[in-house]
Amino acid sequence: MRCKVSLKNLSSNPIHYDYQYGLASILYKRLTTANVELADEIHRYKGFKFYTFSNLITEDRIPDNKGLNFSKAHFFISSPDNRFIKSFAEGLLMQPEFFLGKSELKANFIIENIELLEEPNFSDKCIFRTLSPIYVKTQRKKQDKLVMVDLYPKEPKFYDNLYRNLVNRYEEYYKQSLDHYHFDVLDVYNVKPKRISIGNTQRRCSLMTFEVEANPELIAFAYNAGFGEKNAMGFGCVDIVE
């Protein structure tokens, strides 16, 4: 399930381009407002988080050298679990006003509308466009130690880990395996490398358009839960091109 959240900037101030962590915090707080039991379940659960959200999609971007400025925008929240979407929507409507940013790069927003979207029809082949960057990492040996390394789509390991992560999350969510897994990225284009700050950590990630051939169940799950890692921090949300 997916919903579109439309918002308005009440203060006309810009926000920092790295707003994902702040928006993730707002969403969790609103989830707590609407469904404290579900929020506590997410907090205590040590496995994957089965929801994601997109970047802010500005509708009238205002030029500003200080940060991202606009008067209206929208974003998407999606999850294979309808409870998440309904609780997020309820929490945002109960407390529609919120702040993003700090000091001079701080803006006051209000939710104007929330629209529940129809589920697409999924086949075994799909072209996706990222609505937020995909983050994938791996471990590599460096000076006799294993260190975490962020991956870009130019590396084959990116696709191996993208597939394994998707299958692991699918199996953990549904508590079962598919009889046969098929996953192949057929083409990738319009790749835009990004660096996103989450807390005090820089994440190397990628915006892109890519064609996937896979089990329809996996494609549907990826659409709702996101691709890659750190989905609950606003990574890996995608839309269907065709």
Side-chain angles (χ1 to χ4, degrees), residues 14-41:
I15 59 174
H16 197 277
Y17 291 107
D18 290 328
Y19 57 79
Q20 283 88 340
Y21 182 80
L23 187 54
S25 299
I26 292 296
L27 291 176
Y28 182 76
K29 289 177 182 177
R30 296 301 183 269
L31 179 64
T32 303
T33 299
N35 192 331
V36 66
E37 291 182 358
L38 180 57
D40 185 58
E41 178 184 324

Side-chain angles (χ1 to χ4, degrees), residues 55-157:
N55 287 348
L56 292 174
I57 300 168
T58 58
E59 299 171 11
D60 57 348
R61 187 163 176 171
I62 302 169
D64 197 311
N65 57 13
K66 293 182 180 180
L68 180 63
N69 200 357
F70 56 90
S71 64
K72 292 196 175 189
H74 64 270
F75 66 96
F76 299 94
I77 312 172
S78 67
S79 172
D81 189 337
N82 292 353
R83 294 180 306 160
F84 281 110
I85 303 305
K86 292 177 180 178
S87 295
F88 279 133
E90 184 180 345
L92 288 168
L93 290 173
M94 289 171 66
Q95 295 183 346
E97 198 167 340
F98 63 93
F99 289 95
L100 280 178
K102 297 179 180 179
S103 61
E104 72 278 2
L105 294 182
K106 184 176 183 179
N108 185 19
F109 297 95
I110 189 167
I111 303 298
E112 290 195 311
N113 185 55
I114 297 179
E115 177 186 1
L116 292 178
L117 304 179
E118 290 187 12
E119 188 89 344
N121 293 319
F122 299 103
S123 65
D124 61 353
K125 189 178 291 186
C126 188
I127 298 178
F128 288 112
R129 173 176 59 92
T130 51
L131 296 177
S132 61
I134 294 177
Y135 174 62
V136 180
K137 69 178 185 294
T138 191
Q139 285 188 326
R140 286 181 179 159
K141 197 171 183 179
K142 185 176 181 180
Q143 297 178 348
D144 297 326
K145 293 182 180 179
L146 285 175
V147 296
M148 286 294 180
V149 178
D150 298 339
L151 297 173
Y152 282 140
K154 63 183 179 181
E155 302 171 80
K157 185 66 173 173

Side-chain angles (χ1 to χ4, degrees), residues 185-199:
V185 178
L186 303 177
D187 198 6
V188 179
Y189 40 98
N190 299 332
V191 176
K192 295 181 180 179
K194 303 285 289 185
R195 284 181 181 267
I196 305 294
S197 293
I198 300 294

